[in-house]
Amino acid sequence: MNFSTLWRIARRDLSARIRGLRLLAVCLFLGVATLAAIGSLTAGITEELARRGQTILGGDIEIGIPQRQASEAELKAFAAAGTVSETVRLRAMAIGPEGSDSVLAELKSIDTAYPLYGTLRLQGGRVATAPDRGSIYVGAALADRFDLGEGSSIRFGEARFKVAGIIADEPDRLGEGFTIGPVALVSPASLDDTKLIQPGSMFESKYRIKLPANADPEGVAKALEQQFPSAGWDMTDRSNGAPGTRRFIERMGQFLTLVGLAALVIAGIGVGNGVGSYLESKRTGIATLKVTGADSGVIFRIYMLQILAVACAAIVAGLAMGSVMPMAIGWAAGDILPVAPGFSLHPLPLAVSAVYGLLIAFAFALPPLARARSVPAAGLYRSVVEGGGRMDRRTAISVAASIAAIVALAVATAREPIFSLAFIGAAFALLLLLALLAWGLRAVALRLPRPKAPLPRLALANLHRPGSHTQALVIALGLGLTLFVTLAAIQTSINNEIRNSVPERAPSFFALDIPRDRTAEFSAMVRRQAPDAAINLIPSLRGTIVEFGGQRVDQLAELPEGAWVLNGDRGLTYSPQVPQGSEVVAGKWWPADYKGPALVSLDVRVAESLGVGVGDSLTVSVLGVEIPTRIASLREVKWENFGLNYALVFSPGTFDAAPHSMVATLTVPAKAERALAKSIPPAFPSSSLIEVGNVVSQVTALLQQMAQAIAAAASIAILAGIAVLVGAIAAARQSRIYDSVILKLLGATRRQILGAQAMEYAILAVVLGLVALLLGLGAGWYVIVQIFDFSFAPDPATLAWTLLGGTGLTFALGMLGSLPILAARPSEALRAL
């Protein structure tokens, strides 16, 4: 039989009753739309970051230098490469009009060449260049804080400035990275007037270079690094203007893609149930085709054409929805996203989503289709009583090949293949575990003593009798309840991390850039305001790791996974004692009066990522000078305590020749906080006082956004799980109608039939509720502890209500699905069998 004849039969049969394949369409639509939306959003943001790379970065090449400005030789080399713009950025206290409070701000000096790309705009649409000496541009947040307008005054350090405009668009804002205060722009001469930059002050100089049109940024950057190998620069080119943002977006996108893929796999079970239910309704037609001469191959091709037609329509609809979702997400998210993705089709994520959809449809539709084609015509007429056929070897190989293709595609398109493989393996392990649980439940139900009461006996028999749909129901219920518990565990753990851990351990203030020769004066001022204050003062510098374990960082083709300490400059300190919040886990701490060669104590996780240990070498560049050291110990650092935690702590004397300042944490009573916030900035104008509450608010907002993104993606998986449950109920409907009719003929009432089914669903809900609690807690623990590195602290009450609500919902769906069964009339049902 040729293709046109097969398609004509398939199309006519499909147009007569497509209703049975609605579940297939809904499940594929949900899964494909989720994957397409996540993939398109991630691609849209990363492409926008790449497209605007020059503007975000502020040049074709950016060279960041901590705690110093470029030397004459360096400036000449920069100028030889192209047009140079210099900015200096530091945190400083902004002091408003007389009598007003102070607030931490990001003060940035810009020269006349700034910006090399993009446009600096002020409110009112005015294009601006560097402000005159004595003038300042302030961000909208800073203007709102002090009610500033043009002509108002504001003080930084020892200089007071006249506001010349409110910043509307700072072109390189995103490239500057995370900030904890509003921005203000001044000229280099004005920055000198503030006297904020002192020996040891924490600031960063950035040199942006605009290259000739035909120049290669990567080649120029490598040439500069080779010319100054010990400079301790942090270099970035226009291809990756915001590397931290890009990394975060790509990793979050990968995680959400895997969640979406899990939703699609779950939807695949719904596809299988939907196809099984549809073929069950086509039982008579299939038998008639076989009686009239159609062989199994013809049957297979006709109904595979129908399934593929509906699947393709659902996939196309899902792709259409997924391609427009990024624009809607960008509109709804507002300023949460780093850049707003416009409407643009991204072929790769759409193609990957479509292939996933087709593979899922093929893998899960094949088994019920194979069973239907393998049963002889007479068997098809009796299938309600006898059950369907079995999956043959060829079908099993095809299903296995489809699943292998899904895994291969997920691993091939992943940023972290091992993580993706583990995630997919866990999803399939969950399905296998639920399938084994269903088998065990049937075996237990078969061996239990028969209750004397008819309804419990019937409910128990429904779990193990021939043709029962216990396996489909267990998988559907188990997936749905596990997803509910997992999501509740993740969200409540994040909320508890925010609400309990951080405020409980956090100090009141961080104080930065305290002059070393004024530490006693600083401590005395704090104690005058708060006699019982806890003050922790330690030295602070910035430096770059240039060598570890005998490997030069600038010679590495690729940075080790998780080696965040190699990305730019890091905070450094030295201490005679083990710092607060740290515990030595390997090696030994140096004596308090140590005066030997330079040693360093390293965070144990950093050491693992670098592949180094006690006794290995590590070299840092501070102010352009390389300082070689040996690793003396490894420490477990409690980063969550909001204290002065450093990945690298050096032995005393290491930085004696390097100018540096002090930093401190201040823990004071709440009543003294406002007085300190007003008194310290005027007395120590070069120092910065950070209210920890503001930092906590920003971290809280970020964590909540992450939790919302996970919840949004997981909600699709929950919808897919509900669709799977509906499909399982629908797949069992025909056989349950048969049971219902026989029971009615034997004298059973509707209430008794409904009661037996209610007991059956209640048994499943109780057993699966306990299993889902364990599985959901395990999945939630992995996400919270292994991915986010938080404490796992789910709320028991929320989990209990979630589990009760989930079991109640599944029980209600089961009962609603039983109503059409009860409405079936014996005479009509018997004629249809």
Side-chain angles (χ1 to χ4, degrees):
M1 195 176 291
N2 58 34
F3 177 80
S4 61
T5 304
L6 288 171
W7 172 241
R8 186 165 62 251
I9 296 172
R11 180 173 53 80
R12 288 178 178 175
D13 185 50
L14 190 61
S15 61
R17 193 169 188 266
I18 195 174
R19 178 182 175 184
L21 290 178
R22 286 186 304 186
L23 182 63
L24 163 71
V26 169
C27 287
L28 284 179
F29 171 79
L30 285 173
V32 171
T34 302
L35 280 176
I38 293 170
S40 295
L41 181 63
T42 304
I45 292 176
T46 52
E47 284 180 14
E48 186 70 9
L49 289 173
R51 186 183 68 81
R52 293 170 51 190
Q54 289 174 318
T55 303
I56 292 171
L57 189 66
D60 296 304
I61 295 175
E62 178 190 86
I63 301 167
I65 308 178
Q67 287 189 278
R68 71 178 180 91
Q69 292 177 283
S71 66
E72 244 182 77
E74 290 170 333
L75 286 173
K76 285 181 180 178
F78 301 161
T83 306
V84 182
S85 171
E86 178 185 5
T87 65
V88 177
R89 178 169 167 253
L90 69 158
R91 295 182 178 92
M93 300 304 295
I95 303 174
E98 294 300 332
S100 60
D101 289 338
S102 58
V103 63
L104 185 68
E106 296 278 339
L107 186 63
K108 176 177 168 181
S109 74
I110 57 176
D111 60 12
T112 54
Y114 176 91
L116 296 176
Y117 292 100
T119 304
L120 174 62
R121 293 187 183 276
L122 305 178
Q123 289 184 2
R126 181 157 51 101
V127 177
T129 56
D132 297 331
R133 188 169 191 170
S135 297
I136 190 170
Y137 303 143
V138 298
L142 190 57
D144 291 342
R145 174 67 182 263
F146 292 127
D147 193 22
L148 301 175
E150 287 195 36
S152 301
S153 67
I154 188 170
R155 177 184 165 188
F156 280 93
E158 297 182 10
R160 186 165 289 277
F161 299 97
K162 181 180 179 181
V163 176
I166 311 299
I167 302 168
D169 182 21
E170 182 189 0
D172 58 342
R173 179 73 213 80
L174 184 60
E176 294 286 13
F178 179 75
T179 61
I180 55 175
V183 70
L185 304 180
V186 296
S187 66
S190 294
L191 182 60
D192 292 340
D193 293 339
T194 64
K195 302 292 192 296
L196 289 173
I197 296 182
Q198 302 291 333
S201 294
M202 306 295 285
F203 68 95
E204 183 178 27
S205 303
K206 289 188 176 181
Y207 298 86
R208 279 72 176 262
I209 305 176
K210 183 177 183 179
L211 301 176
N214 59 349
D216 174 27
E218 188 175 349
V220 174
K222 285 184 178 179
L224 288 171
E225 284 183 328
Q226 289 171 0
Q227 188 176 351
F228 299 93
S230 302
W233 297 339
D234 181 19
M235 297 191 70
T236 310
D237 64 56
R238 67 191 180 202
S239 65
N240 195 9
T245 301
R246 186 180 185 131
R247 267 194 311 273
F248 175 77
I249 291 296
E250 287 178 348
R251 289 184 176 180
M252 195 66 181
Q254 178 188 340
F255 175 73
L256 294 179
T257 297
L258 291 172
V259 173
L261 181 57
L264 190 56
V265 171
I266 292 167
I269 302 169
V271 168
N273 289 333
V275 170
S277 178
Y278 175 71
L279 294 176
E280 186 69 24
S281 69
K282 295 290 184 179
R283 186 182 71 255
T284 304
I286 295 172
T288 302
L289 285 171
K290 285 199 170 187
V291 169
T292 55
D295 59 19
S296 295
V298 170
I299 299 296
F300 178 84
R301 288 190 287 273
I302 288 173
Y303 286 97
M304 180 55 79
L305 281 174
Q306 292 183 357
I307 291 166
L308 288 177
V310 175
C312 287
I315 289 171
V316 169
L319 293 177
M321 176 63 73
S323 62
V324 300
M325 280 300 290
M327 191 167 57
I329 293 171
W331 174 81
D335 295 332
I336 293 175
L337 298 177
V339 292
F343 178 72
S344 177
L345 293 178
H346 303 282
L348 182 59
L350 293 179
V352 169
S353 302
V355 172
Y356 274 134
L358 285 173
L359 288 173
I360 289 290
F362 191 73
F364 287 91
L366 269 179
L369 189 56
R371 286 193 292 268
R373 78 172 182 180
S374 64
V375 177
L380 282 165
Y381 285 118
R382 299 191 301 270
S383 63
V384 172
V385 179
E386 295 180 350
R390 294 183 178 181
M391 185 167 58
D392 56 36
R393 182 180 177 183
R394 185 173 62 181
T395 303
I397 293 173
S398 298
V399 171
S402 300
I403 293 173
I406 293 169
V407 174
L409 183 60
V411 172
T413 57
R415 179 186 174 91
E416 299 176 9
I418 301 300
F419 173 71
S420 300
L421 193 61
F423 191 99
I424 295 169
F428 281 107
L430 174 60
L431 297 180
L432 179 61
L433 180 62
L434 291 173
L436 291 174
L437 178 64
W439 176 84
L441 193 59
R442 291 184 64 178
V444 170
L446 180 63
R447 288 167 176 75
L448 284 176
R450 296 291 176 268
K452 293 182 179 180
L455 294 186
R457 186 166 65 248
L458 183 59
L460 200 61
N462 281 342
L463 295 175
H464 65 80
R465 63 178 174 78
S468 71
H469 289 74
T470 300
Q471 184 171 12
L473 289 171
V474 164
I475 292 175
L477 283 167
L479 284 172
L481 291 175
T482 300
L483 287 169
F484 279 127
V485 174
T486 300
L487 186 57
I490 291 172
Q491 288 198 306
T492 56
S493 289
I494 290 177
N495 290 338
N496 284 334
E497 180 79 16
I498 295 168
R499 184 172 55 248
N500 298 331
S501 299
V502 174
E504 191 176 310
R505 295 189 287 266
S508 308
F509 296 98
F510 292 127
L512 310 179
D513 288 333
I514 304 167
R516 291 171 67 186
D517 57 354
R518 298 185 64 190
T519 53
E521 182 184 347
F522 178 86
S523 299
M525 173 172 276
V526 172
R527 296 207 182 277
R528 279 198 297 272
Q529 302 288 346
D532 297 329
I535 305 172
N536 182 26
L537 271 161
I538 64 171
S540 179
L541 306 89
R542 303 291 294 183
T544 306
I545 297 177
V546 295
E547 178 271 334
F548 62 94
Q551 305 176 79
R552 295 285 304 186
V553 175
D554 57 359
Q555 295 176 2
L556 295 176
E558 186 177 342
L559 295 182
E561 181 65 30
W564 54 269
V565 292
L566 301 181
N567 293 314
D569 62 295
R570 298 289 128 202
L572 313 175
T573 190
Y574 57 87
S575 176
Q577 294 91 23
V578 179
Q580 296 178 13
S582 292
E583 180 183 353
V584 175
V585 295
K588 293 182 180 179
W589 195 262
W590 43 80
D593 57 352
Y594 179 78
K595 298 187 183 301
L599 301 175
V600 63
S601 178
L602 204 59
D603 172 58
V604 65
R605 295 185 184 179
V606 170
E608 289 172 357
S609 67
L610 297 180
V612 296
V614 175
D616 288 332
S617 65
L618 187 140
T619 305
V620 293
S621 174
V622 177
L623 300 175
V625 178
E626 290 194 3
I627 302 173
T629 68
R630 288 280 169 187
I631 299 174
S633 64
L634 304 180
R635 291 168 296 117
E636 183 78 39
V637 182
K638 298 176 182 176
W639 296 98
E640 71 278 5
N641 66 2
F642 266 61
L644 295 173
N645 298 312
Y646 284 76
L648 294 90
V649 178
F650 294 82
S651 57
T654 303
F655 303 116
D656 281 349
H660 57 275
S661 58
M662 307 291 286
V663 298
T665 58
L666 308 177
T667 305
V668 300
K671 61 183 180 181
E673 290 181 0
R674 184 171 178 79
L676 279 175
K678 292 190 69 172
S679 62
I680 288 180
F684 291 83
S686 64
S687 302
S688 301
L689 199 64
I690 303 173
E691 293 185 42
V692 173
N694 292 335
V695 179
V696 171
S697 297
Q698 292 191 48
V699 173
T700 298
L702 178 61
L703 293 177
Q704 287 175 341
Q705 290 162 16
M706 292 168 60
Q708 289 167 4
I710 294 169
S715 64
I716 303 297
I718 289 174
L719 287 176
I722 292 173
V724 170
L725 178 59
V726 172
I729 294 169
R733 184 173 299 166
Q734 193 64 32
S735 61
R736 287 189 183 276
I737 288 176
Y738 177 85
D739 296 342
S740 174
V741 166
I742 298 300
L743 289 172
K744 284 182 179 179
L745 291 175
L746 293 175
T749 64
R750 291 186 178 184
R751 179 177 296 179
Q752 290 172 322
I753 295 171
L754 187 63
Q757 291 190 13
M759 289 183 185
E760 177 188 354
Y761 280 109
I763 293 171
L764 289 175
V766 170
V767 173
L768 291 172
L770 296 174
V771 173
L773 181 62
L774 296 176
L775 294 176
L777 287 175
W781 173 87
Y782 182 82
V783 172
I784 290 296
V785 176
Q786 299 299 317
I787 295 179
F788 291 145
D789 200 19
F790 294 159
S791 300
F792 186 59
D795 181 55
T798 303
L799 287 178
W801 283 110
T802 299
L803 200 56
L804 286 173
T807 53
L809 176 62
T810 53
F811 183 81
L813 288 173
M815 291 298 94
L816 288 174
S818 302
L819 295 180
I821 298 171
L822 299 177
R825 295 185 178 182
S827 57
E828 295 177 359
L830 289 173
R831 284 197 298 270
L833 293 174

